[in-house]
Amino acid sequence: MTRTATAHPQQWLLRTQGVTAPEGFRAAGIAAGIKASGKPDLALVFNEGPDYGAAGVFTRNQVKAAPVLWSRQVLNNQRLKAVILNSGGANACTGPGGFQDAHATAEAVAAALSQWGTETGAIEVAVCSTGLIGDRLPLAKVLAGVTEIVHEMAGGLVGGDDAARAIMTTDTVPKQVALHHEVSPDANWIVGGMAKGAGMMAPSLATMLVVLTTDAVADAGMLESALRRAAARTFDRLDVDGATSTNDTVLLLSSGASGIRPSQEDLDIAVGAVCDDLCAQMQADAEGVTKRVTIVVAGARSEDDALAAARAIGRDSLVKTAMFGSDPNWGRVLAAVGMSPFPLDPNRISVSFNGSPVCVDGAGAPGARDVDLSGPDVEVLVDLGLGESSAFIRTTDLSHAYIEENSAYSS
Amino acid sequence: MTRTATAHPQQWLLRTQGVTAPEGFRAAGIAAGIKASGKPDLALVFNEGPDYGAAGVFTRNQVKAAPVLWSRQVLNNQRLKAVILNSGGANACTGPGGFQDAHATAEAVAAALSQWGTETGAIEVAVCSTGLIGDRLPLAKVLAGVTEIVHEMAGGLVGGDDAARAIMTTDTVPKQVALHHEVSPDANWIVGGMAKGAGMMAPSLATMLVVLTTDAVADAGMLESALRRAAARTFDRLDVDGATSTNDTVLLLSSGASGIRPSQEDLDIAVGAVCDDLCAQMQADAEGVTKRVTIVVAGARSEDDALAAARAIGRDSLVKTAMFGSDPNWGRVLAAVGMSPFPLDPNRISVSFNGSPVCVDGAGAPGARDVDLSGPDVEVLVDLGLGESSAFIRTTDLSHAYIEENSAYSS
């Protein structure tokens, strides 16, 4: 699949590669025995340089998993050579021993990479975990896996794809994408990325692990700025179930291997486009999803107000179950938006579903009950009639499959 | 069924009567043809006096139904002779015409009661509606029903029970209770009540209509004080799905017919006990409920903090689906409480399920995964380890039946 991004039709190309699309990155994914199922559960992303700039954003949950505490700490140096990621266990709520496990894993990665030929310190290794909260990881298996995975690293599509598969939990498909910026016919730089995340998707980052890579030449300040801006407009606006994980991590690593230094604006565009695409992939694969729902709130006094109203609607169980039933029950949208944390004028609110007006100035529109919502995509547009600002969030319906999947996750 | 309340074993008796248990009240419920199903859909509660004091609390949703706007306005006089309630339509988001319908209904009740022998003004008639948002009521049917229902009014159990049945929507059972305070063997005063509400149950009042009656002698200020206090500690702490209705209304009417003037404290106890019992009935009958879940947060710095944490847990879809699956997945409780809007120390948080410790000081307790949650009642106790304050909320699991019921409500 090759898609042309709308911003610069000739120059920007989205491709379905992942973290190894940019020059200077290797990756691998293996089954280390952490998951009882024997499925792949350990991934490594390795930056060969020459640059090692890095930035990260983490969960806003006050209960933070051990790997988040570790990775946040090492990111203070704005420099990473590798990221080790495991599925099969969150290493959250595991006490001081859990933090020691995360540290030991980083040490093992550093030792293995050093032995392999690249001098690496544990402080240059970020750790990400995902899975059930509350159990210690089987450390011996993790450490044995680290030794093995360093030998498995490969360039090109294979390694990136294996890594993307090894971080899946309830995901049904791996999620990766890369944006190529062709500066001239024989010069280009790339931002690639992979993600996992299908539930516990939240207002402040979805429950997810994301590793982004680029071969652009960019100092850590540029990376940090591009990442924060992108996360705020993409992952922060994906809300599947209002739950925020203890493990959310988004990392951006640069190798500088393309030798091309993009402007901050171009880096922002590229990182933003990759994050947006990964978001759409996570929304489409969210637990039990039968509808992809976009909530657009317009006519707000500020973007913050618009976003708060959109979140209120997108988290409403009654709106979400109506969507599952393809039921154009617009009154539930009004009831949800009425709980917005800013003053509203109910008599100015208008709503449309997929472009069909269902409520005008606070009262029902003719034919509102007959709007067809049977397709997989629903756009809910709410005009508050108060100002000029707007914002949107991505959410999903609330389905039987969501209940099924989440009532039996740990057992 | 006769239950003895714990506070004053000899004097306070809870009985399964409703709004007509106190002296001076009549009620009726009929099928007026508002519901397409032909089920009862119109209820009247009539205060014969000699007093007509009244107080009310209403939804905090900014989108308020027409009957809420009407009733709030007439309550400014702190005086009611009657309450007319309909199911089969919320009369919300119905524009100026919807407000005229609510007003016309009150006028019709006043005229019918006046003709029947009790001089009544529309301003002494509160109106409550429940059902689908967005459609105008079939006014001709409502007005014809008003004429009929005034003739149906009866004292004793029958009228109250009929009224409680006529306000049901997705409720499976009528909800009513009365608390008798026997001051002496031959003198007692009573608070009775009925409620409807099974979904769209919210932080600020559940989606519900509640009418409370008393034959105590109490001025409007006492009624207002008792009602606000009771609502804040009962209905405000029932949260089935985080959604807040446009129509929530709780009314308290006093006839003074017992001739007994209780203290404010005794009135508070009685109104509080009736509200608490109605809350438990609504929780037990909540849409699709298979578990009654109580979330207790202790060790907080303040009651507000405790309540905020309890709400965060009680609204978490992942906690609620785990409960449905009888899965002691305590990590989800930690993840939910980690989003509390005040500073926490994750390493001090302890959790128990039905008295069995599952997490101590932020890490798993031995045997935590084996705790049996297969019964219908689950108590989640979270000790934050920060202070001495506590609070609890009532919620439910998130089940297939909730999805089923709510994906097909309007269609």
Side-chain angles (χ1 to χ4, degrees), chain B residues 243 268 340 346 375:
Chain B
D268 288 352
S340 296

Side-chain angles (χ1 to χ4, degrees), chain B residues 92-105:
Chain B
C93 302
T94 43
F99 186 81
Q100 286 162 15
D101 293 346
H103 182 179
T105 304

Side-chain angles (χ1 to χ4, degrees), chain A residues 4-362:
Chain A
T4 304
T6 49
H8 301 256
Q10 272 73 47
Q11 294 172 296
W12 302 88
L13 292 170
L14 272 175
R15 295 223 169 86
T16 55
Q17 297 162 282
V19 290
T20 49
E23 295 292 314
F25 290 95
R26 288 168 184 262
I30 64 167
I34 307 167
K35 284 179 179 166
S37 66
K39 289 187 177 169
D41 50 21
L42 192 68
L44 181 68
V45 179
F46 171 54
N47 182 358
E48 296 185 297
D51 297 344
Y52 302 102
V57 293
F58 300 94
T59 182
R60 284 201 277 262
N61 199 311
Q62 294 186 74
V63 177
K64 294 183 205 301
V68 167
L69 297 173
W70 170 264
S71 298
R72 223 174 35 153
Q73 185 175 310
V74 302
L75 251 295
N76 285 337
N77 296 316
Q78 303 188 315
R79 175 184 171 91
L80 287 178
K81 283 192 179 160
V83 184
I84 185 89
L85 311 95
N86 76 274
S87 52
N91 194 9
C93 302
T94 44
F99 186 81
Q100 286 162 16
D101 293 346
H103 183 179
T105 304
E107 290 283 3
V109 171
L113 288 171
S114 298
Q115 197 169 25
W116 192 68
T118 301
E119 202 55 48
T120 307
I123 203 173
E124 296 170 311
V125 180
V127 181
C128 302
S129 300
T130 178
L132 187 63
I133 296 172
D135 292 329
R136 292 282 291 274
L137 290 173
L139 189 63
K141 289 178 180 172
V142 173
L143 298 184
V146 164
T147 307
E148 184 189 342
I149 201 168
V150 167
H151 295 288
E152 293 287 335
M153 282 191 304
L157 277 171
V158 180
D161 194 60
D162 286 349
R165 286 178 191 280
I167 58 175
M168 291 164 58
T169 55
T170 56
D171 306 68
T172 64
V173 292
K175 297 164 184 79
Q176 46 182 345
V177 72
L179 186 73
H180 296 240
H181 187 200
E182 292 183 5
V183 183
S184 69
D186 54 358
N188 80 121
W189 60 280
I190 301 171
V191 175
M194 67 178 187
K196 71 77 42 181
M200 225 191 207
M201 294 251 182
S204 44
L205 299 184
T207 291
M208 58 185 190
L209 304 180
V210 178
V211 179
L212 306 169
T213 54
T214 182
D215 51 15
V217 177
D219 59 39
M222 278 182 73
L223 298 174
E224 174 95 13
S225 172
L227 183 60
R228 291 207 173 274
R229 186 183 166 85
R233 296 192 165 261
T234 56
F235 304 124
D236 274 2
R237 298 187 184 187
L238 175 64
D239 192 333
V240 167
D241 54 17
T244 300
S245 157
T246 51
N247 289 59
D248 292 334
T249 302
V250 184
L251 301 171
L252 170 58
L253 284 66
S254 74
S255 69
S258 72
I260 298 171
R261 179 183 290 275
S263 66
Q264 179 77 53
E265 190 192 347
D266 280 353
L267 187 66
D268 288 352
I269 289 171
V271 174
V274 167
C275 291
D276 189 62
D277 194 88
L278 291 173
C279 254
Q281 292 184 48
M282 285 191 281
Q283 178 191 32
D285 194 31
E287 285 172 359
V289 65
T290 77
K291 307 269 190 191
R292 297 179 292 261
V293 181
T294 305
I295 313 280
V296 187
V297 173
R301 294 187 193 88
S302 69
E303 188 180 342
D304 282 354
D305 280 4
L307 197 53
R311 283 200 205 286
I313 300 164
R315 281 196 203 161
D316 191 277
S317 295
L318 290 166
V319 171
K320 290 162 76 83
T321 46
M323 292 296 150
F324 173 60
S326 301
D327 177 2
N329 192 339
W330 58 269
R332 291 182 177 175
V333 174
L334 269 279
V337 80
M339 293 305 289
S340 297
F342 55 84
L344 286 173
D345 181 347
N347 298 320
R348 287 189 180 191
I349 301 171
S350 295
V351 180
S352 66
F353 289 157
N354 286 344
S356 299
V358 289
C359 169
V360 175
D361 293 338

Side-chain angles (χ1 to χ4, degrees), chain B residues 353-375:
Chain B
F353 290 156
N354 285 344
S356 298
V358 289
C359 169
V360 176
D361 293 337
R369 303 269 180 237
D370 303 320
V371 172
D372 180 10
L373 300 182
S374 59

Side-chain angles (χ1 to χ4, degrees), chain A residues 363-384:
Chain A
R369 301 272 179 233
D370 304 320
V371 172
D372 180 11
L373 300 182
S374 59
D377 289 286
V378 178
E379 187 194 78
V380 177
L381 171 61
V382 179
D383 189 332
L384 301 178

